[in-house]
Amino acid sequence: MSSQDRGRRLNPERGLIELYEADPERADAIVFGRRTPLGRRGFLKGFGLASVGAALGAIIPFARHMPSGLVPVALADEADWVRRLSGAGLTVLNDRPINAETPAHLLDDSVTPNPLHFVRNNGLMPEGADNGEWRLSIDGEVMRPTTFSISDLRSNFRLVKAALLLECGGNGRAGYNPPARGNQWTTGAVANAYWTGVRYRDVLNAVGLKPTAIYTGHYSTDRHSSGDPDKVVISRGVPIVKAMKADTLIAFEMNGEPIPLTHGAPLRVVVPGWPGSASQKWLNRIWIRDQIHDGPKMTGKSYRVPSRPVPPGAEVDNSDMRIIEAMPVKSLITRPETGYHLKHWETLRIGGHAWAGDHVVTKVEVSIDFGASWRRTGLEMPPNRGSWQDWSLALKLPSPGYYELWARATDDQGVAQPMLVPGWNPRGYLNNSMHRVAVTAI
Ligand SMILES: Nc1nc2c(c(=O)[nH]1)N[C@H]1C(S)=C(S)[C@@H](COP(=O)(O)O)O[C@H]1N2
Ligand SMILES: [Mo]
């Protein structure tokens, strides 16, 4: 293993499973503090004791009796998820918690199949839950605090099925320099599935909002990676006006099936076009607030960007950060796959999707000459509000050689994607720069 490989293996953004598979002795050294064969303890510093504690939630009194290279069974569950997600073609960015993104060419379908939908977890997923026993309670600034079962939701409210876009606020983070901490998402923390559920607003109308209600606060059953049962992993919310939009759902089906565990079984919020973090998974409580919700990951620098542009690498005061609401206009080239080769006289079929937060995309253009000229693509209207839009273009390349396909979407406000990474921000959110794909004509 070269020293560069070793550095990569120890990248805290990857995880212990991969490390165990690649280099069990070194993994032991990290987990149990044993000396590595090379005796290079200093090398492990970057990985940090914090992640060791986070990985197991406790010290191991009998560590000295554990066989070398034994994967602690506490990590076996994650190892299984890593196998399943990477088996489906996803790129696993972290295994504890599990985070995985989808390579662009696997997102070609108008509706993303469940196994190809990116997975973003801030903590450890709950154990599987029984749909019949699941309860959602709503309290706070409401007239009639109420607890609903899933069958109550199904029978009391109109069912809605819609294709809805989820994109992680950190999608594209890997493009920022200086780098921002967190999962190094490239382009694949986005997907568009059919979600079935009830309108959030119908449920709020049923329990009756008090005039003081201004924000929602969402709670769920995932567990903090520290192992502390009292620590809430993430509790975010949206302004009441957003919860009252027709395409904001409380969902129990994903593409016509019960929601898979990775995506929030059995009940989740879906707020299309807003940072994915607004779409709480494993939802069991809604607290209606008389102030902006201040749960974990609502405050500080989480899912927030500077209110004014700052130079790359700047220190920004928390009081100068604002909550991210609608995501910016963006597009993805899902065919051809980057690295594609064709005969130069063949027709090149290019296609993908585009989306624009709370807006509609009105134009997607493609350039094959590094932005010198642009061709308009055929763009579909969304099947419903909150869905991404398909676009396509067929063309012939002028001669053999290396080309880059660039795609640029423009929304109904006239706002277009930037060519390069947009304004740097401390946590690396909202990178909507153009997607580029390499093509070689022979
Ligand atoms: N309970 C809970 N809900 C959550 C999260 C989480 O960690 N816990 N992650 C959020 C984030 S940051 C994103 S981007 C979306 C991802 O949804 P997915 O995993 O179904 O793609 O879920 C959101 N809902
Ligand atoms: Mo996210």
Side-chain angles (χ1 to χ4, degrees):
M1 199 167 33
S2 73
S3 65
Q4 196 194 348
D5 276 348
R6 207 173 285 128
R8 208 176 294 133
R9 300 242 186 270
L10 294 175
N11 181 340
E13 297 306 334
R14 305 303 283 272
L16 282 170
I17 305 292
E18 183 182 308
L19 187 62
Y20 259 103
E21 267 158 21
D23 193 345
E25 306 243 305
R26 198 168 287 273
D28 274 354
I30 289 170
V31 175
F32 311 120
R34 286 184 188 154
R35 256 176 195 287
T36 68
L38 299 173
R40 294 172 63 186
R41 292 292 298 276
F43 204 77
L44 304 176
K45 260 202 207 126
F47 202 87
L49 279 169
S51 49
V52 176
L56 291 168
I59 59 154
I60 303 174
F62 290 122
R64 67 184 186 282
H65 296 317
M66 284 184 72
S68 169
L70 182 84
V71 178
V73 73
L75 299 178
D77 201 29
E78 276 78 10
D80 194 43
W81 281 113
V82 169
R83 267 190 294 279
R84 283 163 73 168
L85 295 167
S86 42
L90 270 61
T91 308
V92 176
L93 300 180
N94 192 357
D95 57 46
R96 199 171 171 99
I98 297 281
N99 283 279
E101 71 170 327
T102 318
H105 69 280
L106 294 182
L107 286 173
D108 195 43
D109 306 276
S110 306
V111 178
T112 313
N114 292 353
L116 292 178
H117 196 290
F118 77 97
V119 177
R120 163 60 173 136
N121 292 327
N122 289 264
L124 306 180
M125 296 191 285
E127 308 291 318
D130 182 304
N131 287 21
E133 276 161 26
W134 194 264
R135 294 292 178 273
L136 167 65
S137 61
I138 308 186
D139 59 279
E141 305 302 304
V142 297
M143 305 294 197
R144 295 169 293 279
T146 309
T147 298
F148 295 96
S149 67
I150 293 180
S151 55
D152 292 338
L153 294 174
R154 278 187 184 274
S155 51
N156 290 332
F157 305 104
R158 198 173 127 199
L159 289 192
V160 179
K161 181 176 184 181
L164 300 173
L165 174 118
L166 285 183
E167 181 180 18
C168 183
N171 195 22
R173 175 177 291 132
Y176 282 105
N177 200 5
R181 252 187 334 110
N183 289 297
Q184 295 300 299
W185 305 107
T186 63
T187 58
V190 63
N192 194 61
Y194 266 108
W195 295 94
T196 306
V198 297
R199 292 204 166 101
Y200 202 132
R201 74 168 174 215
D202 289 349
V203 178
L204 291 184
N205 286 335
V207 297
L209 289 173
K210 290 186 176 167
T212 44
I214 67 156
Y215 226 90
T216 68
H218 305 143
Y219 289 86
S220 49
T221 56
D222 38 349
R223 296 163 294 136
H224 201 272
S225 34
S226 64
D228 180 345
D230 297 328
K231 261 192 170 169
V232 172
V233 174
I234 180 171
S235 172
R236 293 181 41 85
V238 293
I240 291 290
V241 285
K242 183 63 185 172
M244 297 300 278
K245 297 280 184 211
D247 51 4
T248 301
L249 302 187
I250 298 174
F252 32 74
E253 281 178 20
M254 181 182 186
N255 290 324
E257 293 168 14
I259 299 177
L261 182 66
T262 33
H263 299 293
L267 198 66
R268 78 176 298 173
V269 180
V270 181
V271 187
W274 280 37
S277 54
S279 296
Q280 191 93 13
K281 304 195 273 190
W282 311 292
L283 178 76
N284 66 355
R285 179 187 172 209
I286 297 174
W287 179 18
I288 300 299
R289 305 294 312 267
D290 61 2
Q291 59 165 83
I292 295 175
H293 186 51
D294 53 0
K297 307 235 165 168
M298 261 324 274
T299 57
K301 297 203 169 49
S302 295
Y303 304 104
R304 287 173 177 243
V305 288
S307 325
R308 283 179 301 277
V310 299
E315 286 283 334
V316 187
D317 204 75
N318 285 351
S319 61
D320 291 329
M321 303 287 286
R322 67 166 177 87
I323 298 170
I324 301 171
E325 298 200 327
M327 295 291 288
V329 62
K330 196 163 172 180
S331 61
L332 195 62
I333 303 168
T334 57
R335 74 186 125 80
E337 179 180 354
T338 196
Y340 182 70
H341 282 62
L342 78 166
K343 310 271 192 308
H344 73 273
W345 61 84
E346 283 175 339
T347 300
L348 174 60
R349 295 184 193 285
I350 310 168
H353 316 290
W355 58 96
D358 286 338
H359 292 282
V360 172
V361 176
T362 49
K363 184 167 72 173
V364 175
E365 297 154 296
V366 164
S367 176
I368 59 166
D369 55 11
F370 303 100
S373 67
W374 293 89
R375 303 171 196 221
R376 205 152 165 163
T377 70
L379 173 67
E380 308 278 330
M381 285 303 284
N384 53 257
R385 275 196 72 87
S387 168
W388 68 21
Q389 297 165 246
D390 295 344
W391 57 266
S392 61
L393 176 72
L395 54 76
K396 288 212 162 81
L397 296 170
S399 63
Y402 171 83
Y403 295 86
E404 283 191 13
L405 311 177
W406 293 6
R408 175 174 73 185
T410 305
D411 73 13
D412 57 12
Q413 308 295 293
V415 179
Q417 289 180 256
M419 193 183 107
L420 301 175
V421 265
W424 184 91
N425 61 88
R427 290 284 167 87
Y429 298 120
L430 306 184
N431 179 1
N432 66 333
S433 56
M434 292 178 211
H435 186 207
R436 295 159 57 195
V437 158
V439 168
T440 305
I442 47 177

